[in-house]
Amino acid sequence: MLTGKDTFQILRKTANVVNVSAQTPQPMENNKPRRRSSRRIRGLAPQMDVPPPKEVYLPPELKVAVLAQLDKRDLKNVRLVSKEWNASAIEPLFDKVYISCRAKDLEVFKNITSHPVISKGVRELVYDGSLFRKDMHFRDYFRHVYCEIVRNESQSRRDTLFDSADVQINGFVQHCREGTRGLYKTHKRNTFLIEGHQKYRDCSAFEDRFMNEGLLLDDLCTGLRSLEHLRSVVLDTKMWRHHLHEDKYFGTVNPNTLHGPSSGSPLCRSWNPFHFRPSAWNLLPEVDDGRSHICAQFHILTKAIAVTNRKISSLQVSTDEGGRGLPQQALMKSKLTYSEFWHFMTAYSGLRCLDIEITMDNPDQRDALTVLPELLGQTFGLRRLSLHLKSVFPAVVSGYRYDEIFPALGFWPKLTELSISGLAISGWYLMSFLLGRARLTQLNLCAIDLLDGTWEGVIEGMRHRRQLTELNMSGNFKHCGGAVFNCIPEDKFTDWEALQAIEYYVIFGGRHPCLPPESDPDTANQWFLDLIPPQELDNMKLLAREAGLEIDDLFWNRK
């Protein structure tokens, strides 16, 4: 048993061994002497007077201008600079949100609208109205994929090898170039076709359940309630697609060959270009109540805007891949219930910008656009109107009449931009609309038919008003109840050059381009006066005399 003295001696010997080992020089590592640590690191060196980096100050309006020039990919990098730049980049980065009846789009829509900060920067909602067909069989799916490849592939690249990470796709593209003989039998078991067809069927089943149970309307209303700064709504079915003629698909060995840039909705960004996309409006069958799918989706969107009381100032309805716009039955009051009509007027009565394309698919219901005149009669604050009227029947020569589209007593004091096509109107009504009911500065006319009067007189009237700063004319114009308008009597000018001469005359003046070389310039004044009905002309003279104003010399040239 150790005593206290023995324990003390043992501890003393151990301490001596430790001291000796501490004084023994240690071997050098890799034959290099150990470097002494920096005195600055140990905090012993005096601090040098180094000025801190200056922070560059940018005014808020300059930051907005800088961020407006960047694309989405660069804005994501800007958010990583600092908290201040992160807050500034949120608004332009998430200024647009997509929604469709698909799982991925709905998931992203919920995440954005439920975020307390990101949702405040959303200004535009893009509603994808294209749908997946429920009756898409594999052979039909195969045919659609083949048609898309033939349509999208550039003819000039047929001698170049199509290079992708999937060998089956390369063989399929090469077989499509050579012809259709044995195409289905050879490639019907390709993995990308089988997986694409299954994905198409899954999306179709999800859409059918989500729309029939009303879940799409519920999610849309929930998201719109949190988008306090939403001002623009776009209804579109042109699902963003990859173009196979781009350089990145040829001559490069890249496993990401089939991945395009980040554009379009979340579903579009992950969609394989060799998987068939949703169908356009004109390829979808009608729903149970006799209306088309796009009409049903348009009413869902309208109801959600009205129920949530969103103040929409801009509405845009574009054409589908087949070139068709919104069917006329979507604006037929006879096809709408009272609640649907109330939703339509509530949602869009405060519009400032309206861009819509309407397709007439039933010539027997030409006067069915009863909703549009009532809507235009309520939009007193309208500033920009783009109205394109089309017909799918070649036998229908004239377009919609003025009284079928516009209200009888409509007045738009703030309307400065107008783009219209496919309208049939009298010459005097056109002059009253262009120069009396609105204050137009930018005008775009395409394929306008004058039921009476001449285009020479309308051109002279627009020149005398001198309020237009931009005029664009395109297409075929008719006047005098169906006669083709020959812009310039000389044959040395093409139609495009003649229309350009008219545009220049209206804006800058000069000699009327429709006048023959030997004609008197006052003849153009007579063309304009011929548009005015005699009773209207007499009333204008009487009002001018009673007001004590000088009567314009134009009125004296008419007997």
Side-chain angles (χ1 to χ4, degrees), residues 55 63 77-88:
E55 182 179 358
K63 282 186 177 181
N77 296 330
V78 171
R79 295 186 62 192
L80 304 177
V81 175
S82 63
K83 294 182 178 180
E84 182 180 357
W85 280 100
N86 178 30
S88 302

Side-chain angles (χ1 to χ4, degrees), residues 52-331:
K54 296 183 179 180
E55 182 179 358
V56 179
Y57 171 75
L58 292 178
E61 56 273 10
L62 188 57
K63 282 186 177 181
V64 173
V66 171
L67 296 176
Q69 304 299 324
L70 304 179
D71 56 9
K72 300 295 184 181
R73 184 175 302 178
D74 295 332
L75 289 174
K76 295 178 181 179
N77 296 330
V78 171
R79 295 186 62 192
L80 304 177
V81 175
S82 63
K83 294 182 178 180
E84 182 180 357
W85 280 100
N86 178 30
S88 302
I90 284 180
E91 183 172 346
L93 180 60
F94 297 97
D95 59 341
K96 182 185 299 184
V97 62
Y98 295 85
I99 186 172
S100 67
C101 194
R102 290 144 206 165
K104 176 167 286 190
D105 285 346
L106 289 171
E107 179 184 359
V108 177
F109 179 77
K110 292 179 181 179
N111 295 335
I112 293 178
T113 55
S114 61
H115 197 280
V117 179
I118 296 179
S119 60
K120 296 181 180 179
V122 177
R123 297 292 187 273
E124 181 176 293
L125 172 67
V126 180
Y127 187 100
D128 188 359
S130 59
L131 291 176
F132 294 89
R133 297 177 62 98
K134 293 186 294 184
D135 55 348
M136 180 64 68
H137 301 288
F138 180 77
R139 186 178 289 271
D140 295 334
Y141 178 86
F142 188 96
R143 178 175 56 84
H144 283 299
V145 173
Y146 165 75
C147 293
E148 283 201 358
I149 291 178
V150 174
R151 182 173 63 251
N152 293 333
E153 190 183 13
S154 176
Q155 299 294 331
S156 60
R157 298 298 185 89
R158 289 186 176 274
D159 55 345
T160 307
L161 178 64
F162 188 87
D163 187 19
S164 71
D166 195 333
V167 180
Q168 293 182 348
I169 294 179
N170 296 334
F172 186 77
V173 173
Q174 185 63 29
H175 201 156
C176 292
R177 294 173 176 177
E178 298 173 356
T180 60
R181 184 179 180 86
L183 182 66
Y184 179 78
K185 183 178 180 180
T186 305
H187 301 279
K188 64 180 180 180
R189 300 187 183 278
N190 286 1
T191 304
F192 76 96
L193 291 172
I194 298 176
E195 292 179 353
H197 181 245
Q198 184 61 40
K199 183 178 179 180
Y200 192 99
R201 291 175 59 88
D202 294 342
C203 292
S204 175
F206 180 84
E207 286 179 350
D208 185 61
R209 178 182 65 85
F210 221 74
M211 291 192 65
N212 293 336
E213 297 179 2
L215 301 178
L216 176 61
L217 179 61
D218 295 340
D219 290 350
L220 185 58
C221 292
T222 303
L224 288 178
R225 289 188 177 94
S226 60
L227 302 180
E228 302 177 358
H229 302 287
L230 183 66
R231 294 296 178 267
S232 176
V233 173
V234 178
L235 178 61
D236 195 4
T237 62
K238 292 181 180 179
M239 184 177 180
W240 182 85
R241 62 175 62 249
H242 299 260
H243 295 284
L244 302 182
H245 62 270
E246 295 180 1
D247 293 335
K248 63 176 177 291
Y249 295 122
F250 296 91
T252 58
V253 182
N254 186 358
N256 298 323
T257 299
L258 299 179
H259 293 262
S262 298
S263 178
S265 69
L267 179 66
C268 301
R269 301 171 196 172
S270 61
W271 197 262
N272 192 312
F274 288 94
H275 290 172
F276 183 57
R277 289 146 194 79
S279 302
W281 300 348
N282 58 338
L283 300 178
L284 294 173
E286 295 183 348
V287 293
D288 297 337
D289 56 355
R291 295 184 295 183
S292 62
H293 278 277
I294 187 57
C295 292
Q297 300 233 21
F298 180 68
H299 293 151
I300 290 176
L301 177 62
T302 303
K303 182 178 181 180
I305 296 174
V307 170
T308 56
N309 197 23
R310 296 293 92 185
K311 304 300 181 182
I312 301 300
S313 60
S314 177
L315 173 64
Q316 178 182 353
V317 182
S318 59
T319 59
D320 61 2
E321 297 178 3
R324 294 191 179 189
L326 189 67
Q328 65 183 50
Q329 56 181 328
L331 303 175

Side-chain angles (χ1 to χ4, degrees), residues 388 418-423 430 433-434 440 442-448 455 458-459 462 468 471-477 499 503:
H388 301 280
L418 175 64
S419 177
I420 190 168
S421 64
L423 183 67
L430 180 60
F433 176 72
L434 297 180
L440 297 177
Q442 301 179 20
L443 180 61
N444 187 358
L445 300 177
C446 178
I448 305 297
W455 273 107
V458 173
I459 294 169
M462 290 190 294
L468 293 177
L471 174 63
N472 297 311
M473 300 179 66
S474 60
N476 299 323
F477 293 86
L499 292 177
E503 297 169 2

Side-chain angles (χ1 to χ4, degrees), residues 352 379-385 411-417 437-441:
R352 296 183 179 181
T379 54
F380 303 105
L382 198 63
R383 299 182 180 181
R384 180 170 58 87
L385 175 62
F411 180 64
W412 304 273
K414 298 182 179 180
L415 183 61
T416 58
E417 301 180 26
R437 298 189 177 188
R439 299 182 179 180
L440 297 177
T441 58

